[in-house]
Every structure is written in C-alpha cells, then in structure tokens.
C-alpha cells in the first residue's frame, strides 16, 4: 500500500469538483469521518493468519464433503477407453465447452464429474433460497439455442440446475459421461500424444485433448474454530445441504426444523439467501456474524410475456454484451438490464462523466469523486437497514462499513426482514468471528448458544494453488508437475494454454477477461477451445502447446496491464477479495491475476487470434 496518507476530502481546494460536491449539502454525512470508521472496522477484522484461518475438508472433516444428493454406496466397474476430448468438470465451463465442441462436430467426448450429475455450482448449492444474483436472461447460457426463457428475472437454483441438465441433453454430453467420479491424476504420454486421466473409480481415460473446467469456489472450506468437530448436534456445509434432516427443498418447506434450534456461521452471499427460509422454518435461529453483508434492493419479478414476444433473434448475445460493457465502465445508450449491478457501476462512471470538469481533474480527484459516490451508495444501503429492521441494536449491527466492491455486492428483499422475527437472533461478534464450538453449540463472549443444528456458511477455497483447488495434480511434458510450475502463480498464454501441458486448456479464470456474469467468460473460452480442437482434428495436428516465449509475453502483458487495485483492496475489510486482509499481490487469487484491459478487450484478442488463423504462439507437432 502506498505510504502517502490519503488526502482528506475537506482539504480539496474550493474550486475542485470534490469541494463542489461537498458544498452542495446533499451528502448528509462527513466523508472523512466515514473513511476513518471504515479503517477502524477493517483493522478490527484483520487476522495475521490470513487464509490459514480456514481448513480443508480432509481427515475427520471429510464427511463435510460427502455428496448428499446421491444414493450412498454407488459402485461401478472401472472404464478404460480412448476419446478425442475428456472434459473435466460438468458445470457451466464443461457444459459450454461440450456444447461448442459438439457444434464443431466433435463426436468423441467423455465428461468426468465428481457430482452425481451436471450442474457444477448449481448441482452442489441447493440450499434453501439459492438463487443467481445476476439476471437470468443473460446468466443462463444458450437460451435461444434451447428455446428456453427463465421464469423470473433472477432464477432460483432448481431452474438453473434444470437448464444445465437440458444443455447436457441437448448436446448429448451424457453419452459416455462418468459421474460420481473424481480425477486423481493426469499424465501426458509423449509417445502416444495422449493424456492419461486416472480417476478414483479406477478408470483410465486416454484423451487427445483435455479442457480443465474444474471451476472456482468449488471446494468447501471450514474455519479453524476450536471444537468445531466436537459439536454433538447435526452439522453440514451450505453446499452439502442435508434435506434429509431439514426436510423441504431449495424453495423452503423445511418442516424438519420446526422444533429445532438452528445456528448458522457466516453472513456472506450464500448465508443471506438461506437465512430467510431458516428464519421461517426453524423454532429458533441464531445468526453468528463476523462482518455484515451490504444488501441492496433485488426487485425480482416474473418474466413479462409481452417483453418475450418483442425479442428479436440474437437478443441474448446483445444483452450479455450490453451488461458487460456497462459493468466494465463503458457507455451504452440503453441499460437493458437496469438492476443493482448496472446501478453500482453506472453511478461510478456517471461520477466521472462530467465533460469539461472531468478534463481538468487530477487522477487523485477522480478517485476521490468515485469514493464519494461509493460512500453515498453505502449510506443508502445502511439507511435501508434502518428502514426495515425494527430493533435498533440489531439494525446497527447489520450495517456494513466498507466500500461496495470490497466484498461481492449483495441484493435481497427478505434477508433484513428476517431479523424482525422474534425467533431470530443476530449474534454479532464485533468482527472477531466465532472462536469456539463445544458439544452443545456455539460459544461467543463466553455465552453458550445451545443448538440442535449448526450450518456452516463460510464459503469455498480460494487463493490457493490451482491444483489444490482442483484436487489433483497434472504431470505434463518432461515430467513437469503443474503444482510446481504454478506454485506461485498460474502462467499461461491467454489464460488457456501453458507450456509443457500440450492439448490441455485451463478454463481456470486466471489471466483471462473476467466478467460479472461468469458464464460469459466461460462461453468465450469454450468457443476458443472448440476452434483450436477443431483446427487440430481437421489438420492432423497431434499436439499444440504454448511456446515458452508466447507464455512469457502474455505474462508480461498481464503484469503491465495489471490494475490490481492493490491500494483499494488493502484498505478493504478482509475477505477472499484481498487475501483475507493480508495485502500484497497473490497471483493465485483469480481476482488479482487477470487481464487488466478487461473482458471486452480480451475477447477481441481471442477473436483476432482466431481470425489470423496461424495458431500464433502455439508450438505444433
Ligand atoms: P463467503 O466466503 O463469501 O462468506 C463466508 C462468510 O463466513 C463470511 O460472512 C465470513 O465473514 C464468515 N466467516 C468466516 N469465518 C467465520 C467465523 N470464524 N465466524 C463467523 N463468521 C465467519 O462465502 P459464501 O458461500 O457466502 O459465498 C462465496 C461466493 O460464492 C461469493 O463470493 C459469490 O461469489 C458466490 N455466490 C454467488 C451467488 C450468486 O448468486 N451468483 C450466491 C451465493 C454465493 P467475513 O466476511 O468476516 O470474512
């Protein structure tokens, strides 16, 4: 972080845009005092151990990773076969690459998926209230192709899962697919120019090409809270929801909780979606909070049939592009999505788009104006808490004091109301977090909250190495281990190809163009992979891999263009966006190791590369 203290808002000269904004009298708060409050709240939460405050689900914690959505005891004979393409992962990444490969005419595909079916995130995350916080009309891929229109502006989990399965059916991805199968190892065989993929079912799959679609935020993590394994009641992670215990389904109806005292640890984007249903169905609910989420208006509504009738072919691609441009600071005459996301980005950009005045502004002044806009937005969000939550202390504890993009922005219309239920208690830990669990329940400030059920909503592994997050290592050409090559940072050409790993494509969301609606990035990557595979199959090319030089050049581009927002994130409250407050650059954090020119520029680079047609930067054998 730069050592220069930030200039106080009050110190800007009278003729500056910042001073004008302050003088307008419309702010209604002291921005310097708020900035100090943010710093104070952050400092309370920084923990020296950073990511190490969490633990992997191994050993006695293995049970937290069991798949509750399949019959236990599944067995099958192991499979040995050879295919053109083995896709690892059946979420949107795997589905989209499968779809584009089929469109390109690739017949021999084997999808390998750890879960019992396709769906990825939406297979695992079935917790009550699970819903996508990005508009369904652009988030759900291939809507026009599948002739499907989501029922609501923001789809709930089951609809997204059904759509995922429909994509798998449409593109025959079930053919030869291996479900409930975890890859344990992948090794390149130079003689046959094939990947040898081994699994925990004893399978040996030989594949010419392997797209790695193992996803991000896929591996649940637990906090290292003393005694967390001692609890005698029932416990599970939100992404392994135990409906056998709670009853009901994603849409609620959890009759099993009617006589239960339930606790939930965590108040992030997942928790806030399931807390309204838990509040409705539990006898008592205790919400253990370390940091409040900032929760803006959702405004969900059913899809308007008249609007659907008005759509012209190609509408989804246009909508995706419109949203992507606005959420990347660009101008669009019309905001087609017009929601909390576009409002957040639109305001920041609006603050900068003041013609003449803008031309005269220094970078520092522009940043200060942007910060003022952020402070205003967060004041609105805090005012919303006061307007909804009746108990004043609870309302105060539910207010988030950090800038909007320090954590994932959240949108919900029932979360705050839930705290007006007499059966629901917010247990705020003043930034410390839960530090002890015992046989009876959760201990905070020496008080034991006795529980029948403890739900863990503490998120997923991030910021660790790619192979740790994927759960297996890859041994490439010359016995190069990916875990060693990428120990400090993923290193690629275009985020997809890596030297010594021929015919392997990393849909890992590193060194790529990241979009707010993730399937958009995955779709562009999938299209690109399909182009390369098709080209190789049709031109009798055995293997392609990034040349060392091309990879180094791309890594330089990433470094030069990095707008890591280091200062911004270091001033943020801890979370996975800023390496849990540890600061510095962690290139294993997908939010840091990105193409700084943004997704629009990045997609153009891929398109130009395909149009040029010579597989530039790839070594061909
Ligand atoms: P997060 O990592 O975002 O949140 C974890 C929560 O656990 C935080 O509130 C954290 O507090 C809390 N926590 C951790 N340790 C403790 C402790 N010792 N005591 C008390 N609280 C603790 O996980 P989520 O599962 O909520 O979300 C993960 C990601 O999944 C999101 O960032 C988002 O990208 C994605 N998601 C997307 C959705 C969508 O609609 N597209 C919906 C849901 C999730 P603190 O903030 O202090 O660290």
């Amino acid at each position: 972080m730069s050592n220069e203290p930030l200039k106080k808002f009050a110190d800007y000269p009278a003729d500056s845009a910042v001073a004008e904004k302050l003088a307008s009298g419309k702010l209604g708060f002291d921005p310097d005092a708020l900035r100090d409050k943010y710093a104070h709240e952050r400092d309370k939460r920084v923990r020296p151990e950073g990511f190490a405050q969490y633990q992997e689900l191994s050993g006695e914690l293995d049970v937290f990773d069991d798949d509750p959505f399949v019959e236990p005891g599944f067995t099958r004979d192991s499979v040995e076969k050879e295919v053109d393409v083995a896709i690892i992962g059946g979420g949107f990444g795997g589905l989209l690459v499968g779809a584009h490969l089929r469109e390109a005419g690739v017949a021999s595909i084997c999808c390998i998926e750890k879960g019992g079916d396709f769906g990825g995130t939406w297979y695992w995350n079935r917790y009550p209230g699970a819903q996508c916080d990005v508009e369904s009309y652009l988030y759900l891929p291939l809507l026009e192709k599948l002739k499907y229109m989501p029922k609501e502006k923001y789809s709930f989990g089951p609809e997204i899962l059904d759509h995922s399965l429909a994509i798998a059916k449409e593109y025959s991805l079930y053919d030869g697919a291996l479900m409930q199968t975890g890859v344990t190892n992948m090794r390149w065989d130079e003689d046959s120019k094939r990947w040898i993929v081994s699994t925990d079912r004893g399978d040996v799959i030989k594949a010419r090409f392997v797209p790695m679609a193992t996803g991000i935020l896929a591996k649940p993590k637990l906090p290292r809270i003393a005694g967390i394994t001692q609890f005698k009641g029932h416990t599970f992670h939100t992404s392994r929801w135990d409906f056998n215990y709670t009853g009901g389904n994603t849409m609620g109806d959890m009759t099993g909780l009617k006589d239960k005292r339930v606790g939930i640890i965590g108040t992030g984007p997942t928790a806030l979606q399931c807390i309204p249903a838990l509040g409705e169905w539990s006898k008592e609910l205790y919400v253990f909070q370390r940091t409040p989420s900032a929760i803006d208006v959702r405004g969900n509504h059913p899809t308007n049939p008249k609007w659907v009738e008005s759509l012209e072919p190609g509408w989804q691609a246009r909508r995706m592009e419109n949203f992507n441009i606005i959420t990347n600071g660009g101008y669009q005459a019309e905001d087609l999505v017009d929601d909390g996301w576009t409002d957040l980005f639109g305001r920041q950009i609006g603050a900068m788009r003041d013609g003449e005045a803008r031309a005269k502004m220094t970078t520092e002044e522009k940043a200060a104006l942007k910060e003022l806009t952020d402070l205003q937005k967060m004041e609105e969000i805090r005012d919303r808490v006061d307007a909804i939550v009746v108990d004043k202390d609870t309302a105060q504890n539910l207010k988030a004091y950090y800038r909007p993009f320090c954590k994932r922005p959240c949108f919900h219309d029932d979360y705050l109301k839930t705290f007006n239920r007499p059966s629901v208690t917010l247990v705020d830990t003043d930034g410390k977090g839960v530090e002890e669990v015992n046989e009876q329940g959760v201990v905070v400030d020496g008080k034991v909250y006795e529980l029948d059920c403890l739900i863990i909503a503490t998120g997923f592994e991030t910021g660790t190495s790619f192979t740790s997050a994927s759960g297996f290592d890859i041994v490439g050409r010359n016995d190069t281990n990916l875990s060693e090559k990428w120990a400090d940072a993923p290193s690629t050409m275009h985020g997809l190809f890596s030297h010594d790993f021929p015919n392997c494509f990393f849909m890992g969301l590193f060194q790529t163009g990241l979009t707010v609606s993730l399937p958009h990035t995955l779709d562009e990557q999938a299209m690109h992979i399909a182009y390369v595979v098709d080209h190789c199959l049709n031109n009798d090319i055995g293997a392609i891999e990034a040349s060392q030089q091309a990879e180094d050049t791309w890594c330089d581009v990433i470094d030069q263009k990095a707008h890591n927002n280091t200062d911004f994130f270091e001033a943020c409250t801890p979370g996975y966006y800023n390496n849990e407050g540890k600061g510095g650059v962690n290139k294993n954090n997908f939010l840091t190791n990105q193409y700084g020119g943004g997704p629009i520029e990045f997609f153009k680079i891929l398109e130009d590369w395909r149009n040029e047609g010579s597989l530039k930067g790839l070594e061909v054998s």
Side-chain angles (χ1 to χ4, degrees), residues 302-312:
T303 300
N304 180 346
K306 285 221 170 79
W307 169 75
V308 177
E309 272 169 34
S310 75
L311 296 170
E312 309 251 335

Side-chain angles (χ1 to χ4, degrees), residues 75-267:
T75 56
R76 64 164 169 80
D77 292 338
S78 54
V79 172
E80 279 193 27
K81 65 177 170 181
E82 181 156 344
V83 290
D84 281 339
V85 185
I87 300 174
I88 304 185
F92 277 145
L95 288 165
L96 283 164
V97 78
H100 282 286
L101 286 166
R102 290 287 198 228
E103 298 265 352
V106 178
S108 169
I109 295 178
C110 170
C111 295
I112 307 174
E113 165 57 49
K114 180 181 166 193
D117 210 331
F118 287 96
T121 294
W122 302 101
Y123 172 87
W124 295 108
N125 288 281
R126 303 186 192 199
Y127 56 82
Q131 186 182 28
C132 184
D133 65 5
V134 174
E135 197 202 60
S136 58
Y137 313 131
L138 59 105
Y139 180 84
L140 270 64
L142 305 169
L143 287 178
E144 288 185 82
K145 174 78 195 174
L146 269 77
K147 298 187 175 49
Y148 183 71
M149 183 53 73
K151 298 187 197 86
E152 289 163 284
K153 188 168 169 79
Y154 302 95
S155 292
F156 282 92
E159 184 176 34
I160 309 176
L161 180 57
D162 284 351
H163 186 66
S164 306
L165 307 191
I167 294 173
K169 277 188 203 118
E170 173 77 21
Y171 290 98
S172 310
L173 297 177
Y174 282 103
D175 296 356
L178 301 173
M179 294 292 156
Q180 297 190 57
T181 304
V183 171
T184 51
N185 179 271
M186 223 174 103
R187 174 177 287 276
W188 175 252
D189 179 51
E190 184 61 29
D191 293 337
S192 63
K193 297 216 168 6
R194 296 288 183 273
W195 283 102
I196 315 289
V197 182
S198 308
T199 78
D200 56 8
R201 303 257 171 214
D203 311 312
V204 179
I205 312 299
K206 291 187 180 175
R208 284 181 74 171
F209 301 95
V210 180
M212 291 281 300
T214 45
I216 50 164
L217 301 169
K219 213 170 149 188
K221 66 176 163 38
L222 247 60
R224 272 180 215 280
I225 297 174
I228 198 160
T229 53
Q230 309 299 311
F231 179 58
K232 291 279 186 233
H234 199 71
T235 183
F236 53 85
H237 188 276
T238 45
S239 67
R240 304 287 185 272
W241 198 274
D242 188 352
F243 287 109
N244 283 333
Y245 178 84
T246 64
N249 52 42
T250 306
M251 304 317 286
D253 207 20
M254 292 186 288
T255 49
L257 297 181
K258 267 197 332 213
D259 57 348
K260 300 288 190 299
R261 297 160 303 175
V262 178
I264 180 164
I265 299 182
T267 47

Side-chain angles (χ1 to χ4, degrees), residues 53-54 122 127 131-133 217 221 223 225 265-271 273 288-291 407-408 433-434 457-460 574-576 580:
Q53 68 181 282
Y54 294 104
W122 302 101
Y127 56 82
Q131 186 182 28
C132 184
D133 65 5
L217 301 169
K221 66 176 163 38
I225 297 174
I265 299 182
T267 47
T270 296
Q273 291 187 338
F288 298 97
Q289 171 179 273
R290 184 163 71 183
T291 308
K407 287 187 177 284
R408 188 178 175 95
V434 170
T458 53
F460 304 88
Y576 75 81
E580 295 296 339

